[in-house]
Structure formats: C-alpha cells, structure tokens
Amino acid sequence: MNKDMKILIVDDFSTMRRIVKNLLRDLGFNNTVEADDGMTALPILKNGGIDFLVTDWNMPGMQGIDLLKAVRADEKLADLPVLMVTAEQKRDQIIEAAQAGVNGYIVKPFTAATLSEKLEKIFERIDK
Amino acid sequence: MITKITMDKDSLLEKARAIVNNLENGNEEDAYRVLNEITHLSEEGLFQEIGKLTRQLHDTINAFRVDSRLVELTSMTETEMPDARERLNYVIDMTAQAADQTLNAVELSLPVCDRLIQQSEVLHQSWNMFIQRKMSAEQFRELSKELNNYFLETDNDMKTLRSSFDEVLMAQGFQDITGQIIKRVIHLVEDVETKLVQLIKVSGNYAVPSDSSMPIEEKKKEDNTHGPVVPGVNDGAEVVSGQDEVDDLLSSLGF
C-alpha cells in the first residue's frame, strides 16, 4: 500500500471529513483532498491524480452512489478504488453499492480499526 | 345585519304611501296589513341569506372532509410525528453519548497531564542543581533513577493521552449522524407548515382545488430512502445492525 497516494474524501459534513482525514493521517496517509458532495468531487476526480476515493452516500446535490456509478462509467476512472463510509444500513442499499462496484463499505459510526482493516483489504486485493 | 327587502324602490314607495293614506283616512287596520306585508318580505330576504350561508358552510365542511391535504395532514400527524419524536430522542441519545465519551476521555487525560507537569518540574529542579554542579554523586545516582522512571512513565502516559485524543476524535462522528436526522425532521416540519397554510387558504376559499400532485405513499417512499437508521423508527426496509452484518452481506455477494 503506497502511503503517498492521493485520497479524495467526500462528505457533506465537514466534521466527518475531518475525522476521516485524521484517521487516515494516523494510518500514515497525509495526502488528502476534500469535497462536499458528488458534484464537486467529480471534477476533482476528472482532473486526475486521485488514487483512492472515500465517499459518503447521503449528500445533497449528487449522492455518493451516483458518484460511484459516474466513476465506474468513466473510462479513465473506472478502476479507481472506492470505499463507502455511510450511515446507510439498508440491505438493498448495500447490495446496490456492491453491484455498482464499490470496493469497501463501512457503516457509521465506525472505528479507526475498521477503517484500517478495510483499507488493507482493498489494497491487498488490488495489489494481487 | 340589514336585510335587503326583495322589492323595488317604486313598489316600496307605493306601500309606504298606502300606509300613510290608510292612517290619514282612519283605516288603521289596513295600514297594519300593508306594514305586515313589508315585514314579511323583509323576513323572506333574511331567510334567503341564512339559507345561502348555511349552504356555503355545508359545502365548505364537505370540501374540507374530502380535501386530500387534510387527509395527508392527518396521516402525517399519525405516523410522521411519532417518527419525528423518535428521531429527536435518538439525537439526544447520540449527543449525550458523544458528550460522555468526550468527557470521559478528558477526565482521564487531565490527571495524566498534571502528573507530567509535576514530574517535569521536579526533574527540572534537579537538572538545574546538576548543571550548577551542586549535586553529589549519591544525588546524581538518584536523579538517574528518577529520569529512567520518568521516561518509562511518560511513555505510558503519552499513550494514554494519544488514545484519549482518538476517543475525542471519534466521538465527533455524532455531528454527521444527528445532522442528517435533524435535517429530516426540519423537512417534515416544513411539510406540515405548508399543508397547514394550504388548509387555512382552503377554509377561506373552499373552491381552491387540491394541488398535491404526488400520492402520499409515493411521497413517503421518497422521504424514507436515505438517512441513518433510527431505533424505533421502522421505514419498512430491511436493515443490517452493524459492520459485521455488512461484511457478512458483502461476502455473501462474493466480496
């Protein structure tokens, strides 16, 4: 896992972005950028240079699931690893995210250990 | 209220003259008869007005009864209001939990900080003595021991502080979840407000047609799609109860 990779954190609540950012820093990832919904995240992604996307689901403007679908539909971004960190706990939604090609799914409230574990799992699979 | 007599000006004048003439000619009985005719006409007008008002009231009440906005409002107060109460109670629980978690971490950290300050003050004094060469060999051996203990304890204390900070950091997650819940309740309150305003308009003018284009069920479905799961509020969807179940579900899907 490359600790210098650039991570985009997307959440409409700035407190949650700060929490994720701090946890990532604890895990050694210092290269993070932030966006407050899918609409602002997508141009950042399209500009290139983002190696990993952490997104919430329920956001005004563009929802996280739609951002995920847009990423998968974009030729250049299709392989970008995406981790969803969300309060959505409905089975149908988790299945929808899985079908849309999410790489990991964390429900809020979560622990630092969960984040670390999911990150490792995602990159273990990718690096194979 | 002045009741309009359903009679034109000329015939009213004619009746008035007839009364005067009859009175002047001593025909009092005839004069009263004409006067009664006028009163009768006046009463008829009053009855017609009351009849009209009754009809209007009846129509308004009927319109009210079948008005979908009232039906919606009733259904909202029956189902959405208890939901909103549950949601707000959950917000109280979550904020209390976050406050407790933060306060516990702070209460655990403060004595650690105090101990560190105190120990470093003591060591600082000894260190000054050493620099000023006022320390005996025996005292220096004592200082070495103290320093060694200090390093060991500081290592432990710093780890305690570090984990307290982590606790405080994670506790702030409540803001996101309670924020989402409160936004939903605000949305509901706005909905009720709009419907109440519409109803007030309806009672002022019962002929205004209902303009709620979306059926209630559909609206409910749309409202309930997103947001944190609140205990005691059943949206009718199947939910998982935590990260472990999410992992199980995903692994059953081949993840």
Side-chain angles (χ1 to χ4, degrees):
Chain A
M1 210 180 338
N2 173 19
K3 300 261 169 171
D4 291 326
M5 68 176 169
K6 198 168 183 180
I7 305 173
L8 175 62
I9 305 162
V10 190
D11 200 310
D12 54 329
F13 281 87
S14 65
T15 40
M16 189 44 77
R17 292 201 301 271
R18 283 173 68 181
I19 291 173
V20 173
K21 193 177 159 178
N22 274 293
L23 289 175
L24 286 172
R25 194 166 46 209
D26 271 2
L27 297 170
F29 302 97
N30 286 299
N31 196 2
T32 53
V33 272
E34 298 174 35
D36 60 6
D37 82 329
M39 294 264 242
T40 46
L42 207 52
I44 299 174
L45 289 166
K46 287 194 171 172
N47 269 343
I50 303 292
D51 304 302
F52 184 45
L53 171 63
V54 180
T55 183
D56 184 23
W57 182 311
N58 191 17
M59 294 178 288
M62 190 186 197
Q63 304 260 353
I65 186 73
D66 297 324
L67 177 64
L68 171 63
K69 287 173 185 169
V71 163
R72 290 291 174 256
D74 188 300
E75 217 178 289
K76 283 183 194 154
L77 300 172
D79 292 330
L80 180 74
V82 179
L83 173 66
M84 221 157 203
V85 180
T86 171
E88 307 299 329
Q89 300 187 18
K90 300 191 181 76
R91 280 180 71 93
D92 290 349
Q93 286 178 283
I94 299 164
I95 294 168
E96 188 184 352
Q99 284 165 348
V102 81
N103 298 79
Y105 197 102
I106 295 178
V107 287
K108 295 174 187 170
F110 61 101
T111 64
T114 307
L115 181 66
S116 159
E117 180 197 321
K118 298 300 161 204
L119 277 175
E120 268 172 34
K121 218 170 167 188
I122 289 172
F123 286 100
E124 198 180 293
R125 210 170 268 147
I126 287 172
D127 293 341
K128 258 182 200 170
Chain B
M1 175 178 151
I2 297 171
T3 314
K4 246 187 163 178
I5 300 168
T6 48
M7 190 193 280
D8 59 55
K9 195 178 141 200
D10 287 343
S11 44
L12 186 61
L13 199 63
E14 198 184 301
K15 299 257 181 214
R17 278 197 191 114
I19 294 172
V20 174
N21 283 339
N22 280 325
L23 283 175
E24 277 174 356
N25 298 331
N27 300 332
E28 280 187 29
E29 218 170 281
D30 284 340
Y32 279 115
R33 188 180 45 78
V34 180
L35 192 62
N36 273 340
E37 274 174 29
I38 299 173
T39 320
H40 179 67
L41 281 170
S42 160
E43 276 172 358
E44 229 170 43
L46 182 67
F47 287 144
Q48 272 173 15
E49 282 295 320
I50 291 175
K52 254 191 245 167
L53 281 174
T54 312
R55 179 86 222 159
Q56 267 181 21
L57 186 65
H58 177 75
D59 287 349
T60 308
I61 289 169
N62 270 347
F64 229 81
R65 217 175 271 152
V66 297
D67 194 286
S68 66
R69 282 163 291 204
L70 189 65
V71 178
E72 266 174 52
L73 200 64
T74 316
S75 110
M76 278 176 105
T77 44
E78 276 170 359
T79 62
E80 304 273 319
M81 284 302 167
D83 271 19
R85 271 200 298 275
E86 281 301 317
R87 285 179 208 284
L88 291 180
N89 276 325
Y90 187 58
V91 168
I92 296 175
D93 289 348
M94 287 216 74
T95 48
Q97 209 180 309
D100 281 342
Q101 200 180 340
T102 307
L103 290 172
N104 287 343
V106 170
E107 282 170 8
L108 189 78
S109 305
L110 286 178
V112 175
C113 290
D114 289 342
R115 191 166 60 234
L116 284 170
I117 293 168
Q118 201 204 345
Q119 283 173 336
S120 98
E121 271 170 5
V122 170
L123 283 174
H124 197 192
Q125 277 172 10
S126 308
W127 185 245
N128 278 341
M129 277 178 69
F130 172 73
I131 287 181
Q132 289 160 15
R133 296 167 194 273
K134 287 178 185 165
M135 192 171 269
S136 66
E138 184 53 38
Q139 279 172 322
F140 182 75
R141 269 193 292 278
E142 195 55 39
L143 174 62
S144 300
K145 240 190 264 169
E146 278 172 19
L147 268 173
N148 196 45
N149 282 340
Y150 177 74
F151 290 140
L152 288 174
E153 277 175 36
T154 305
D155 191 47
N156 262 332
D157 285 349
M158 284 303 172
K159 277 175 188 151
T160 307
L161 288 181
R162 189 72 184 73
S163 87
S164 290
F165 287 144
D166 281 342
E167 282 285 306
V168 172
L169 176 79
M170 293 314 290
Q172 307 316 306
F174 82 93
Q175 203 271 336
D176 166 59
I177 293 172
T178 57
Q180 291 188 53
I181 294 169
I182 290 172
K183 272 186 184 172
R184 268 186 80 156
V185 176
I186 290 174
H187 186 69
L188 169 71
V189 171
E190 280 171 352
D191 253 23
V192 171
E193 188 192 9
T194 314
K195 295 213 164 62
L196 280 175
V197 169
Q198 283 175 345
L199 276 177
I200 289 165
K201 283 184 187 158
V202 168
S203 58
N205 179 12
Y206 64 86
V208 175
S210 167
D211 61 355
S212 28
S213 49
M214 205 189 271
I216 305 165
E217 282 308 309
E218 214 167 293
K219 222 177 238 177
K220 270 178 109 174
K221 215 169 130 197
E222 190 191 60
D223 287 349
N224 284 339
T225 313
H226 298 299
V229 172
V230 177
V233 177
N234 185 10
D235 288 348
E238 218 181 319
V239 298
V240 298
S241 67
Q243 189 63 41
D244 287 344
E245 285 193 24
V246 175
D247 294 347
D248 289 348
L249 178 59
L250 286 177
S251 68
S252 77
L253 293 167
F255 265 71

